[in-house]
Amino acid sequence: MAWEEELFALLDDLEQQAEALYDAERGAELADRSRSEYQQVTLASRLMATVGDEVVLDVRGVGAVNGTLERVGTGWCLVSGTGQDWIVPLAALVGVRGASERSSPEVAWSPVARLGLGSALRRLAEAGERCVLHLVDGKALDATVRRVGADFVEARVGEEGRAVLVPYDGLAAVQSR
């Protein structure tokens, strides 16, 4: 083999080694970037990508809620189960099974999806239908939602219709009757 061929073989070998090192560094950089970008993904964005799918929500004070994820809003979601609907504040979730691997960033959400928990509860108040307010401590109140404040819901409970104020932080889920 002529010295020129050996030199070109050596240069080819060095080029391949440099390319392999670049690929290894690039792979590590991409993996690191992917991990750092994932910290921007919210639970709500993962749930938004799951709308229309069957899920199991583990809810503080309630347990498992099964059904089709119908809607996600700012701080809450709506699940339709067998014969009943559930409004669940995201703060009351302990876990979610069946969520999509994808996410839908909040900038892509419709304006309706940006409505908060108060909007969903106001619709219940307007309907005037009885429901069950599940609290994070495990208690359940058979009630009618009357009015909705900035950070609480006012409901009428029991035969005498006494008023009870439930802060959003104490609300685990609202179940339709």
Side-chain angles (χ1 to χ4, degrees), residues 87 118-129 131 144-148 153-155:
I87 297 172
S119 294
L121 295 173
R122 276 188 282 284
R123 293 203 58 193
L124 278 177
E126 289 168 6
E129 295 179 18
C131 60
T144 303
V145 175
R146 301 294 296 197
R147 297 187 291 188
V148 179
V153 61
E154 177 184 326

Side-chain angles (χ1 to χ4, degrees), residues 22-32:
Y22 174 79
D23 287 346
E25 287 178 17
R26 179 80 173 138
E29 179 184 339
L30 288 176
D32 185 49

Side-chain angles (χ1 to χ4, degrees), residues 5-171:
E5 291 175 0
E6 288 180 24
L7 179 61
F8 285 131
L10 176 65
L11 292 174
D12 283 343
D13 184 49
L14 288 173
E15 189 175 322
Q16 289 174 358
Q17 288 179 25
E19 194 173 303
L21 284 172
Y22 174 79
D23 287 346
E25 287 178 17
R26 179 80 173 138
E29 179 184 339
L30 288 176
D32 185 49
R33 186 177 295 169
S34 175
R35 282 189 294 274
S36 67
E37 287 297 319
Y38 193 73
Q39 72 183 356
Q40 304 300 319
V41 175
T42 64
L43 174 62
S45 69
R46 287 285 302 272
L47 292 175
M48 185 59 82
T50 309
V51 169
D53 294 345
E54 294 291 316
V55 294
V56 178
L57 304 180
D58 296 316
V59 181
R60 182 179 297 116
V62 176
V65 172
N66 305 309
T68 302
L69 184 61
E70 296 291 338
R71 178 170 286 177
V72 177
T74 301
W76 64 280
C77 64
L78 172 67
V79 173
S80 288
T82 307
Q84 58 195 347
D85 291 334
W86 293 82
I87 297 172
V88 181
L90 298 186
L93 290 178
V94 177
V96 177
R97 289 173 273 157
S100 171
E101 291 290 324
R102 301 179 60 237
S103 72
S104 177
E106 293 182 28
V107 296
W109 294 9
S110 75
V112 174
R114 290 188 178 94
L115 296 175
L117 177 61
S119 294
L121 295 173
R122 276 188 282 284
R123 293 203 58 193
L124 278 177
E126 289 168 6
E129 295 179 18
R130 296 199 59 77
C131 60
V132 179
L133 299 178
H134 293 272
L135 308 181
V136 294
D137 66 0
K139 293 178 186 165
L141 304 174
D142 190 25
T144 303
V145 175
R146 301 294 296 197
R147 297 187 291 188
V148 179
D151 59 353
F152 72 96
V153 61
E154 177 184 326
R156 297 285 178 203
V157 179
E159 298 290 323
E160 65 280 357
R162 63 183 163 75
V164 175
L165 306 180
V166 179
Y168 289 170
D169 290 344
L171 189 62

